[in-house]
Amino acid sequence: MTVPLDIVIDRAHGGRWTSLRAGDREWLWRRDAPEREKAFPGDAFVDAGGLEECVPTVRGTPDHGDAWSRPWTREAGADVLRCDRFTLARTVRATSDGAVADYVLTADAGFRFVWAAHALLDLSDRALAHIDSGVRTRLFPEVAPLVDRAWPDGAAWVEGAWPAPCGLRLDRFGPDDGTAVGAVVDAAHCCVHDRADRLSLALEADGQPLSIALWRNLRGYPAPNPYRSTGVEPMLGRVFDLAEAGPGDAARVPASGEVRWRLTLTTNCRCA
């Protein structure tokens, strides 16, 4: 069934999406974190849930990027973030079956970055992530005890095929088991099924690397007080940490000085 999406955005605190609602269903997970309102650029990330705009990196420095700790402004119908090395503009509009967010990043030609719509979703233990089978999936060192092979010395990641790269089944979010897994899937579309509810996330960008990052934290992170948080995160790039990006692993600003991309969210998902 097609249901429109209602979005609430907190521009004063990083342009964070605080609500993504389809009828009675709230898709975004949120966490009480009052210290978020006092965060300053350079601070360690404060996880309040919702959908964060992570750019120019997710992991690494600055932690979860430059956007989450800075106020955005409203200019000519767009939300705008201005940083030292880049400007990001975002225009969000409703559609009959969801919403579309159009982005423009402006910077010097050659500027490299990773961007993620860091969407933490409020999912039950029966939720499933539907992505085309067989696509390349990168796993990162926190999963080393969970895979079916020894972790190569010094490897920043290993690769396998979705949905069970290196023997680790990732398409099921499942009950809490004390694990926390991050993965980057070489795909541009994911449909999340949670009982009768559906949420489709799709990314488009010409000439840039597209992926879907997954964060499946089943009370395995952070110590000493872990909680459950589950993320489906459309990305430009193929790594969480820009510092680890090899050739083709990060988005790059062309000679025009602009990178444009579109995120489409719908409740109309036709996968089985």
Side-chain angles (χ1 to χ4, degrees):
M1 181 175 64
T2 298
V3 181
L5 286 169
D6 293 321
I7 297 171
V8 178
I9 292 172
D10 184 354
R11 297 179 183 90
H13 300 98
R16 171 173 158 256
W17 304 27
T18 59
S19 179
L20 181 65
R21 181 172 289 276
D24 294 332
R25 170 67 191 252
E26 173 59 62
W27 279 101
L28 293 180
W29 171 84
R30 288 168 290 182
R31 174 174 170 267
D32 185 26
E35 64 273 27
R36 171 60 188 273
E37 295 189 5
K38 301 177 182 178
F40 189 81
D43 288 351
F45 181 61
V46 179
D47 187 6
L51 186 155
E52 304 280 6
E53 303 284 358
C54 292
V55 60
T57 191
V58 183
R59 296 180 183 175
T61 303
D63 187 13
H64 282 69
D66 277 321
W68 74 271
S69 60
R70 299 175 186 269
W72 293 49
T73 59
R74 189 73 173 161
E75 302 177 18
D79 301 328
V80 179
L81 169 71
R82 300 185 187 278
C83 292
D84 290 342
R85 297 191 61 195
F86 66 90
T87 297
L88 180 63
R90 175 190 66 196
T91 304
V92 181
R93 60 180 174 86
T95 64
S96 61
D97 62 352
V100 169
D102 287 311
Y103 294 83
V104 183
L105 184 139
T106 306
D108 291 341
F111 177 71
R112 298 172 77 237
F113 67 96
V114 171
W115 165 86
H118 187 278
L120 295 180
L121 303 181
D122 188 6
L123 300 178
S124 76
D125 60 10
R126 296 175 59 186
L128 302 171
H130 286 254
I131 298 174
D132 289 341
S133 294
V135 297
R136 182 177 62 176
T137 303
R138 287 182 174 177
L139 301 173
F140 297 84
E142 68 265 18
V143 310
L146 306 176
V147 296
D148 60 6
R149 65 198 67 181
W151 194 268
D153 289 344
W157 61 76
V158 297
E159 293 185 349
W162 178 268
C166 306
L168 178 60
R169 190 74 183 260
L170 289 179
D171 59 333
R172 301 173 181 175
F173 287 95
D176 295 346
D177 61 9
T179 64
V181 173
V184 176
V185 187
D186 194 11
H189 175 250
C190 178
C191 187
V192 179
H193 293 202
D194 195 1
R195 296 185 171 93
D197 297 325
R198 304 287 186 267
L199 180 66
S200 169
L201 304 98
L203 189 60
E204 304 169 67
D206 291 337
Q208 303 294 344
L210 306 178
S211 61
I212 300 290
L214 295 179
W215 173 241
R216 192 181 69 184
N217 173 27
L218 306 179
R219 293 192 181 273
Y221 176 89
N225 299 306
Y227 47 79
R228 179 186 178 97
S229 57
T230 49
V232 177
E233 308 171 17
M235 290 181 67
L236 296 185
R238 296 192 179 99
V239 291
F240 289 112
D241 189 342
L242 178 61
E244 297 178 346
D249 288 339
R252 182 183 292 272
V253 175
S256 66
E258 289 187 349
V259 177
R260 294 177 176 267
W261 64 95
R262 171 171 288 183
L263 172 64
T264 302
L265 304 100
T266 73
T267 57
N268 186 15
C269 184
R270 296 183 176 87
C271 54

